[in-house]
Amino acid sequence: MAGSRMKLDLSRVVQGRGRLGLLKEVGRMGQHSVDIPGCLLYTHLGSVPHLTQDTLHTISCLPAVTHVTLSNMAEHQEVLEEFKGGLKKFAGLHDTVLYCSLHDPAAHCPTGHTTNKTVSVWGSGGRIELTAAKFMALQKTVQPDWYQSMADGETWQTGTSRKRVRKSVDRTLAHLDECLTVHQKSQDLEGVDIFGVVEGGDILEERVRSARETAKRPVAGFCLDGFQTGAMDQALRSQLITAVTQELPEDKPRLLQGVGRPDEVLECVEAGIDLFEGFFPFQATERGCALCFSFDITPNPERAAPDEEPHTAGGTQLNGDVNCDDQTHMTRFEMNLKDKRYQDDFRPLVEGCGCYCCRNHQRAYVHHLLMTNELLAGVLLMIHNTCHYHSFFRAIREALANDKMDLLRRSVLWNGKE
Amino acid sequence: MSATRNSEADGNMKESSMHFKKALSAAPALSLKIIAECPVTKARACDLTLPHCTVSTPVFMPVGTQGTLKGITVDQLEGLGCQICLGNTYHLGMRPGTELIEKANGLHGFMNWKRNLLTDSGGFQMVSLVELSEVTEEGVKFKSPYDGKEILLSPEKSISIQNSLGSDIMMQLDDVVSSTVKGPRVEEAMHRSIRWLDRCIAANKHPDKQNLFAIIQGGLNAELRKACLDEMIQRDVPGFAIGGLSGGEEKDDFWRMVTLSTDYLPREKPRYLMGVGYAVDLVVCVALGCDMFDCVFPTRTARFGSALVPWGSLQVKQKQYAKDFQPIDPDCQCPTCKRHSRAYLHALFKSDTAAMHHITIHNIAYQLTLMRSVRQSIVEGRFPEFIQTFMKRMFPSRDQYPSWAVDALASVNVTLE
């Protein structure tokens, strides 16, 4: 059987759902392992936004898995075919696991272009329509270690009809079967893992049916689609994820698409999610913000308090609430460095942070770079935000290991106190 | 915004006598050690010791206008071997302002750059913002593009801002006239620049830590240049810049003014040719005796996808590179060329700004490597051969050599093959 090389060792399951463990034998050569709960490294075409390899590798807690998207790569298919060496080599990446998803979680994907046989991705040159055959041809040229099967995920908008949701589950299963047929016959994809995609919108029965049917196929793991921030409130999301994960085999990983806010991540970990996409630090960077939420789980709760209250500024709305599908607004987990209050603030972005930016630069400098539209602002913020976010995932694993999820939640949500 | 304050007049009177004494007793803030001189051309290799580190010349100085080199961290810049870079007084005086930069321990502290900085006078913006400005003996008046307030940039003000920035090398305020202007305005500007130099020298609060360079003016008129040189070399300044060139004049006029200036300038002081950064210009002007250069071109052009190579430049965004899997320059040792192909950079330009950073790194590496090779060849006594090889690589054939470069090199005894 092709795929399913990766093996999941669970060391702990908290309250029957939150999972701590190690995903082993990941990658075509099976040489990597990934701690779970874990987060992928978000990239554009294999490059972390704004960063070169030199600036990226100032970050010590980088995840083992690099995430690329077909929406970035579809337009380069011809080039990659001629190159022959796969995206990893093309992008100058060494020693990383490459995971390929369909869409870019941080980019808006216009709806209304999905058919029974095709899905569409949007690159720099516009829409590219993919059949399962083309989708698989792309995978063969990208040569990831692991990829998401083709899926019709166009059911996340509120008010999507039951009929449309059912159709998306059916189509996604049909796409998976087609992908698997090609996958199993392909020598190029030997040792590559494929994840099936669970759809079903906000309808419990469809979610359960999608999970149950997908789990019958020979997949290495599961992508949970249609739960992205803005699609539904957290209570419903948790309820549906719990129902879905109950249908999925214990020994296979579950990757949640489109959820990145720290509070939502914690909820979803506790509903049984293992892996997340790492696009949230990028979004914060693009709005000129630095992640500053606390994830300190040292025993003294006083120390969990951040050095200052986060805030909103310049008329920016808090995006802490449901059904706010505009992901360009700042959240309560970050500080807006464009705010005038930082003009003469000579502290690091986050006191005690060990990232390159915080070790070398001050808020006043980053503020200046933002006010003058200097490219270095994006570089420094991306370094800090990536480092901060991936350290948060390390804290989640520590909290799971030490029964401190409550403490961690309090620490993270402290920022939300108003 | 401190550039809008005009408070130096009241403080100056009582301070100036004190500064005079300090200036007399202060050790110079730089030393120039000539390591080698080309026996054929006027080229020289020197160690220029400045407050933050020693600079190997000839040197190209990248421009970090607003306290940052476009998209590059200070560690990356240091990693490329950069020993000195530029900041722009006009921009930094506007944003974030001198008060803030002083609080941050100067521009070095603000941008966390451990090596040397050179700041300009802010006067060059007179040319670019000429419609907003009025030049009088007092200084340059212009309207702030940010709030419309009228600002007077006087020699004292320029030095006061540069003292706040704490640069290792400061430039005098000069009366800049476009190099294409002719007539009495050029002469007026030259004389005024001499007077302003004296005011700048008197205004420098830190002659022991900050080197003030004079700027030779005089347009494209040899007599005026000479007159300016005569006057300025009588002043005890640590170094000289050749100004008012590289602004669209004929190259034939350009190189003649450069070589005339280096003929007169004292051997023991550094010579900085302002605004020059094309590879051919650098090599020729080193041969004419210049030590220091700056230009925004290599970093600006990088952001448009233009990579500098020994045979000219390579437009990474052009379709012909979409499937070109070689590095930009297979012989280049920069981090970009060691890891990435033209094809990948071509593709990345469509997805992320990191593509610009890759080319910026490469172009700075190209400039610095070029100058290191030039220096090495001077030290080893083979600079004339270096020039021959360099020109052969840069141009497909001899008849494509620019005639001004051929003439300029001939004037220093190098006949291109």
Side-chain angles (χ1 to χ4, degrees):
Chain A
M1 186 178 77
S4 67
R5 274 179 80 104
M6 58 174 80
K7 293 185 176 60
L8 181 60
D9 267 4
L10 290 179
S11 51
R12 236 178 152 205
V13 180
V14 178
Q15 291 172 342
R17 294 204 293 270
R19 292 146 51 106
L20 179 72
L22 189 64
L23 196 54
K24 295 199 299 195
E25 293 173 44
V26 184
R28 280 188 115 160
M29 303 300 144
Q31 73 277 42
H32 293 277
S33 53
V34 179
D35 291 312
I36 65 147
C39 179
L40 315 177
L41 188 66
Y42 175 77
T43 71
H44 289 156
L45 212 66
S47 283
V48 172
H50 302 290
L51 303 188
T52 63
Q53 289 291 318
D54 288 341
T55 42
L56 175 67
H57 285 285
T58 61
I59 304 169
S60 57
C61 50
L62 288 176
V65 186
T66 301
H67 175 191
V68 294
T69 67
L70 280 191
S71 49
N72 267 187
M73 278 176 311
E75 64 195 280
H76 305 296
Q77 181 172 17
E78 222 188 293
V79 174
L80 284 167
E81 263 165 17
E82 188 160 324
F83 180 68
K84 292 188 178 71
L87 190 274
K88 231 193 279 185
K89 211 170 156 200
F90 182 66
L93 303 173
H94 316 301
D95 202 41
T96 184
V97 175
L98 194 70
Y99 163 70
C100 183
S101 74
L102 183 61
H103 296 295
D104 182 338
H108 176 67
C109 182
T111 53
H113 298 276
T114 311
T115 70
N116 275 337
K117 292 284 174 199
T118 67
V119 295
S120 287
V121 292
W122 300 77
S124 71
R127 183 168 73 99
I128 298 174
E129 194 165 51
L130 305 176
T131 58
K134 178 149 189 205
F135 176 92
M136 290 307 290
L138 262 167
Q139 298 297 349
K140 284 182 204 173
T141 57
V142 172
Q143 297 176 23
D145 295 288
W146 156 28
Y147 67 98
Q148 167 203 351
S149 162
M150 192 164 114
D152 168 14
E154 226 173 78
T155 57
W156 55 270
Q157 291 157 302
T158 38
T160 306
S161 70
R162 180 173 289 264
K163 192 177 153 204
R164 178 67 184 87
V165 171
R166 194 179 303 133
K167 199 194 241 171
S168 104
V169 171
D170 291 338
R171 277 175 179 173
T172 301
L173 287 167
H175 293 330
L176 175 59
D177 289 334
E178 222 178 313
C179 289
L180 280 169
T181 307
V182 178
H183 185 107
Q184 284 161 340
K185 279 192 247 162
S186 166
Q187 284 207 326
D188 294 334
L189 295 171
E190 211 176 306
V192 175
D193 285 319
I194 180 168
F195 272 32
V197 184
V198 176
E199 296 288 354
D202 55 3
I203 299 167
L204 182 66
E205 305 89 88
E206 289 302 320
R207 282 283 170 191
V208 169
R209 179 169 76 94
S210 181
R212 204 173 277 167
E213 285 301 318
T214 309
K216 288 179 188 164
R217 271 76 171 173
V219 293
F222 305 90
C223 291
L224 275 61
D225 190 25
F227 288 113
Q228 54 265 55
T229 299
M232 63 187 72
D233 66 38
Q234 185 56 46
L236 180 58
R237 180 187 291 129
S238 288
Q239 184 201 338
L240 292 173
I241 290 175
T242 304
V244 164
T245 52
Q246 272 167 7
E247 299 298 325
L248 301 178
E250 269 242 307
D251 61 347
K252 287 184 180 177
R254 303 113 180 217
L255 190 162
L256 180 61
Q257 299 184 317
V259 172
R261 279 184 26 173
D263 55 339
E264 296 178 340
V265 165
L266 288 178
E267 294 289 335
C268 295
V269 162
E270 296 192 299
I273 295 297
D274 302 320
L275 292 165
F276 295 83
E277 299 172 317
F279 60 94
F280 187 71
F282 168 66
Q283 289 179 326
T285 300
E286 294 312 284
R287 48 188 176 242
C289 291
L291 298 183
C292 60
F293 63 95
S294 167
F295 43 80
D296 190 351
I297 49 166
T298 45
N300 182 356
E302 297 304 312
R303 286 178 55 196
D307 65 303
E308 78 177 71
E309 286 288 308
H311 56 88
T312 55
T316 319
Q317 296 287 306
L318 271 185
N319 179 19
D321 309 309
V322 287
N323 282 330
C324 184
D325 59 352
D326 184 354
Q327 297 189 17
T328 58
H329 284 163
M330 81 178 278
T331 67
R332 52 190 158 167
F333 306 101
E334 57 207 82
M335 58 203 277
N336 181 2
L337 265 306
K338 288 182 185 164
D339 193 299
K340 211 168 182 304
R341 76 171 73 186
Y342 300 117
Q343 194 183 333
D344 57 354
D345 188 335
F346 296 109
R347 287 177 292 176
L349 301 184
V350 171
E351 303 270 11
C353 174
C355 83
Y356 174 83
C357 177
C358 290
R359 277 186 288 112
N360 290 282
H361 295 292
Q362 300 157 337
R363 295 173 183 182
Y365 183 60
V366 178
H367 171 82
H368 164 73
L369 296 176
L370 286 165
M371 297 325 285
T372 50
N373 290 315
E374 281 287 346
L375 289 163
L376 189 60
V379 175
L380 294 179
L381 283 174
M382 196 62 194
I383 291 174
H384 169 78
N385 288 340
T386 303
C387 185
H388 194 88
Y389 196 67
H390 291 283
S391 301
F392 164 57
F393 274 84
R394 194 164 51 197
I396 296 176
R397 293 190 291 271
E398 274 171 39
L400 279 173
N402 301 302
D403 284 322
K404 285 183 176 160
M405 281 300 272
D406 282 343
L407 196 57
L408 178 60
R409 189 183 304 101
R410 273 206 300 278
S411 178
V412 168
L413 290 180
W414 177 280
N415 303 46
K417 205 183 86 167
E418 296 188 24
Chain B
M1 206 167 291
S2 53
T4 60
R5 285 185 302 137
N6 271 314
S7 59
E8 75 279 340
D10 41 16
N12 258 359
M13 292 301 283
K14 55 178 181 277
E15 281 179 26
S16 59
S17 61
M18 197 179 76
H19 289 146
F20 181 66
K21 277 185 216 142
K22 226 196 308 186
L24 281 181
S25 58
L30 70 74
S31 73
L32 186 80
K33 187 175 160 202
I34 299 171
I35 302 297
E37 283 172 301
C38 175
V40 178
T41 69
K42 293 199 270 176
R44 54 218 217 131
C46 310
D47 284 351
L48 172 63
T49 301
L50 290 166
H52 284 82
C53 71
T54 296
V55 176
S56 304
T57 75
V59 64
F60 175 80
M61 307 179 284
V63 182
T65 298
Q66 315 204 78
T68 158
L69 218 129
K70 305 291 175 185
I72 303 303
T73 66
V74 285
D75 275 18
Q76 285 178 300
L77 196 54
E78 217 178 287
L80 293 171
C82 177
Q83 296 160 329
I84 179 167
C85 69
L86 261 72
N88 282 118
T89 294
Y90 170 83
H91 292 90
L92 292 162
M94 290 283 179
R95 293 189 301 185
T98 48
E99 222 169 300
L100 187 87
I101 289 189
E102 270 180 15
K103 275 196 223 161
N105 295 319
L107 185 53
H108 285 93
F110 187 59
M111 64 188 283
N112 194 30
W113 172 243
K114 307 273 192 291
R115 297 186 176 176
N116 300 298
L117 285 166
L118 183 150
T119 47
D120 65 356
S121 66
F124 182 72
Q125 272 70 30
M126 283 190 241
V127 174
S128 42
L129 300 173
V130 71
E131 278 167 57
L132 299 172
S133 71
E134 184 201 344
V135 185
T136 65
E137 192 57 29
E138 204 183 354
V140 190
K141 270 193 202 129
F142 55 92
K143 279 206 174 96
S144 160
Y146 301 105
D147 57 12
K149 268 191 204 153
E150 193 153 274
I151 299 168
L152 172 73
L153 185 69
S154 62
E156 291 78 16
K157 183 79 215 170
S158 170
I159 295 303
S160 155
I161 300 173
Q162 296 186 71
N163 276 154
S164 299
L165 297 176
S167 47
D168 300 274
I169 296 176
M170 306 187 291
M171 302 309 298
Q172 76 155 107
L173 184 71
D174 52 349
D175 185 359
V176 182
V177 182
S178 165
S179 54
T180 51
V181 169
K182 290 189 169 60
R185 176 70 185 96
V186 181
E187 184 166 3
E188 180 196 43
M190 183 273 281
H191 288 299
R192 182 172 286 146
S193 293
I194 297 167
R195 292 191 295 272
W196 283 3
L197 172 60
D198 290 331
R199 286 167 62 186
C200 286
I201 294 171
N204 184 5
K205 277 178 256 164
H206 307 298
D208 54 327
K209 292 188 290 205
Q210 294 185 269
N211 298 288
L212 175 65
F213 276 31
I215 304 177
I216 309 297
Q217 288 291 350
L220 304 176
N221 181 318
E223 292 309 310
L224 292 181
R225 284 267 161 193
K226 263 187 238 167
C228 191
L229 280 155
D230 278 341
E231 281 295 326
M232 285 187 171
I233 56 184
Q234 289 173 36
R235 271 74 177 171
D236 185 25
V237 288
F240 295 93
I242 302 166
L245 298 175
S246 196
E249 71 280 357
E250 291 296 325
K251 284 283 195 183
D252 277 324
D253 296 325
F254 160 80
W255 78 261
R256 287 194 168 84
M257 290 300 114
V258 172
T259 205
L260 179 147
S261 305
T262 55
D263 278 345
Y264 278 80
L265 286 169
R267 176 175 174 268
E268 69 282 2
K269 289 185 180 178
R271 301 121 172 219
Y272 161 31
L273 180 55
M274 302 174 83
V276 167
Y278 295 133
V280 174
D281 300 13
L282 292 173
V283 170
V284 172
C285 293
V286 166
L288 298 180
C290 299
D291 306 311
M292 306 161 71
F293 307 86
D294 81 287
C295 190
V296 294
F297 162 75
T299 40
R300 178 173 292 164
T301 203
R303 299 197 296 282
F304 296 104
S306 179
L308 305 176
V309 286
W311 59 94
S313 66
L314 188 146
Q315 311 306 314
V316 172
K317 285 158 86 173
Q318 280 174 2
K319 213 171 163 31
Q320 69 186 100
Y321 300 112
K323 293 179 185 171
D324 187 337
F325 304 116
Q326 314 169 67
I328 293 169
D329 173 5
D331 297 326
C332 176
Q333 295 300 308
C334 83
T336 301
C337 289
K338 279 203 264 182
R339 189 181 283 266
H340 296 301
S341 66
R342 298 169 183 180
Y344 181 65
L345 296 169
H346 176 90
L348 193 60
F349 253 102
K350 295 177 180 172
S351 307
D352 202 85
T353 55
M356 295 186 206
H357 308 337
H358 287 301
I359 312 284
T360 302
I361 294 260
H362 168 82
N363 282 2
I364 295 172
Y366 172 81
Q367 297 287 108
L368 299 184
T369 307
L370 173 67
M371 296 313 263
R372 275 195 289 266
S373 316
V374 164
R375 176 182 163 99
Q376 192 63 26
S377 75
I378 297 169
V379 171
E380 291 169 7
R382 48 173 182 81
F383 182 53
E385 292 77 26
F386 176 91
I387 298 173
Q388 301 285 358
T389 316
F390 169 83
M391 292 296 283
K392 270 185 210 152
R393 189 87 205 273
M394 186 59 79
F395 298 96
S397 66
R398 188 178 184 311
D399 41 290
Q400 280 168 10
Y401 289 175
S403 62
W404 73 269
V406 174
D407 296 345
L409 290 168
S411 80
V412 286
N413 316 309
V414 174
T415 313
L416 290 174
E417 289 154 13

